């Protein structure tokens, strides 16, 4: 009976009783660790949500201002483009007026001879029949040993050089061309065709292949005379030996613009006097 009585009054083991006492002490000093961790996580999420909410509110408040600045910038660009277009139209109109007045002055004071000189010098635009000559690099330009085209230190013999264009242009003049342009650049007696690295410059303006040469003159006759000339044969050699691509065709109507910023320099005699040297 004493054993049954002891089991009834002491049903919990002593070790369990001590563990329960420790848990009770922790509960009195604060919340359990698992609960504190949950509360900390909840607080962190609440803080993150607050930050996101504040950022979104600030973005919404700044969006109208940014949209307004963008609209103002677009408006300024449009206004600048309109002014540039208007100025370009004004320039075109003034250039046309100058050409008309220049032509009238030449006809009044010098007759046809002075106007012909103006055409040949590139001071006025010209239109009429002629030829179109296209010169381009070889498709697969590659280095080849030997040959006169390497005399200037160039190994890629399939590329068109400045000296090639010089010979072609001179050949067109010699064959009877009255006006010549290269890629829209009108040539004059003061024009220069030079090289700057791999680029070809015409009056200091860089050009890229293919090079389209327009020459105003007696159409078929100009084409035949050029192809039979030494410079035309030189171009044919470039095509046959180095793969330089060329094509020439007669044109019924060509229009070449006037040379921009044409400045003619002349020398004037100076009278010698006392204290001066001749």
């Amino acid at each position: 009976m004493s054993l049954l009585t002891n089991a009834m009054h002491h049903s919990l083991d002593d070790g369990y009783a001590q563990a329960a006492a420790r848990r009770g002490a922790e509960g009195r000093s604060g919340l359990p660790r698992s609960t504190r961790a949950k509360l900390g996580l909840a607080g962190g999420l609440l803080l993150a949500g607050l930050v996101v909410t504040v950022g979104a509110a600030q973005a919404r408040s700044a969006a109208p201002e940014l949209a307004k600045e963008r609209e103002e910038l677009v408006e300024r660009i449009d206004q600048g483009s309109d002014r540039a277009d208007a100025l370009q139209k004004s320039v075109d109109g003034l250039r046309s007026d100058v050409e008309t007045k220049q032509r009238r002055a030449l006809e009044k004071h010098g007759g046809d001879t002075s106007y012909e000189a103006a055409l040949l010098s590139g001071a006025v635009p010209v239109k009429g029949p002629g030829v179109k000559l296209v010169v381009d690099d070889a498709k697969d330009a590659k280095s080849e040993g030997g040959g006169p085209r390497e005399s200037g230190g160039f190994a890629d013999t399939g590329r068109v050089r400045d000296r090639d264009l010089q010979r072609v242009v001179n050949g067109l003049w010699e064959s009877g061309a009255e006006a010549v342009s290269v890629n829209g650049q009108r040539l004059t007696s003061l024009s220069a065709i030079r090289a700057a690295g791999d680029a070809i410059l015409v009056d200091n303006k860089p050009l890229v292949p293919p090079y389209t040469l327009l020459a105003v003159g007696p159409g078929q006759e100009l084409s035949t005379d050029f192809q039979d000339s030494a410079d035309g044969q030189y171009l044919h050699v470039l095509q046959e030996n180095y793969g330089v691509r060329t094509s020439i065709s007669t044109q019924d109507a060509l229009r070449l613009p006037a040379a921009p910023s044409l400045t003619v320099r002349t020398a004037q005699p100076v009278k010698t006097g006392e204290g001066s040297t001749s």
Side-chain angles (χ1 to χ4, degrees):
M1 293 298 293
S2 60
L3 181 60
L4 293 175
T5 302
N6 186 44
M8 292 175 61
H9 290 285
H10 302 282
S11 58
L12 185 64
D13 187 82
D14 293 339
Y16 287 106
Q18 294 176 3
R22 285 196 301 271
R23 286 197 298 272
E26 291 177 357
R28 289 190 299 271
S29 62
L31 295 173
R33 292 182 180 178
S34 60
T35 305
R36 290 200 302 271
K38 292 178 180 179
L39 290 178
L41 177 61
L45 292 175
L46 180 61
L47 180 60
L50 180 62
V51 172
V52 172
T53 303
V54 172
Q58 292 178 347
R60 285 196 299 270
S61 62
E65 187 66 24
L66 293 175
K68 182 179 178 181
E69 293 179 357
R70 181 180 182 278
E71 291 177 359
E72 292 177 352
L73 180 59
V74 171
E75 184 178 359
R76 289 172 58 187
I77 292 174
D78 292 339
Q79 292 176 353
S81 300
D82 293 339
R83 286 196 298 269
D85 293 340
L87 290 174
Q88 184 60 48
K89 290 181 180 178
S90 177
V91 168
D92 294 339
L94 292 173
R95 181 179 290 116
S96 179
D97 291 342
V98 169
E99 292 173 356
T100 302
K101 292 179 180 179
Q102 186 179 37
R103 185 181 302 109
R104 290 176 181 174
L106 289 171
E107 293 174 352
K108 179 180 178 181
H109 297 285
D112 296 337
T113 303
S114 295
Y115 185 64
E116 182 181 356
L119 284 176
L120 294 176
S121 65
V124 294
V126 60
K127 59 182 178 180
V131 298
K132 177 181 179 181
L133 175 61
V134 180
V135 184
D136 197 0
D137 296 338
K139 274 189 177 181
D140 51 351
K142 57 184 179 180
S143 302
E144 298 178 3
R149 286 176 62 75
E150 293 190 20
S151 59
F154 297 107
D156 190 356
T157 56
R159 298 197 59 184
V160 179
R161 306 298 177 187
D162 57 332
R163 58 183 180 270
D164 302 331
L165 278 185
Q166 290 172 5
R167 292 203 59 170
V168 171
V169 169
N170 289 335
L172 289 172
W173 287 121
E174 186 178 0
S175 300
E178 300 173 3
V180 180
S181 68
V182 182
N183 285 16
Q185 187 78 5
R186 179 75 176 273
L187 301 182
T188 71
S189 58
L190 302 178
S191 297
I193 301 176
R194 295 288 184 267
D198 291 335
I200 296 179
L201 306 182
V202 175
D203 289 337
N204 294 324
K205 180 180 180 180
L207 304 181
V208 295
Y211 305 102
T212 301
L213 295 91
L214 301 179
V216 174
Q220 186 59 49
E221 181 181 351
L222 174 60
S223 175
T224 303
D225 291 345
F226 171 75
Q227 295 182 68
D228 292 341
S229 66
D231 297 313
Q233 293 299 315
Y234 171 82
L235 187 60
H236 182 70
V237 169
L238 296 184
Q239 182 179 11
E240 292 295 324
N241 294 349
Y242 303 105
V244 173
R245 291 171 288 175
T246 67
S247 65
I248 186 170
S249 60
T250 58
Q251 303 290 319
D252 295 330
L254 294 175
R255 178 176 175 81
L256 277 61
S261 303
L262 181 64
T263 302
V264 179
R265 295 178 294 272
T266 58
Q268 299 292 338
V270 178
K271 295 182 180 180
T272 59
E274 296 182 0
S276 63
T277 57
S278 56

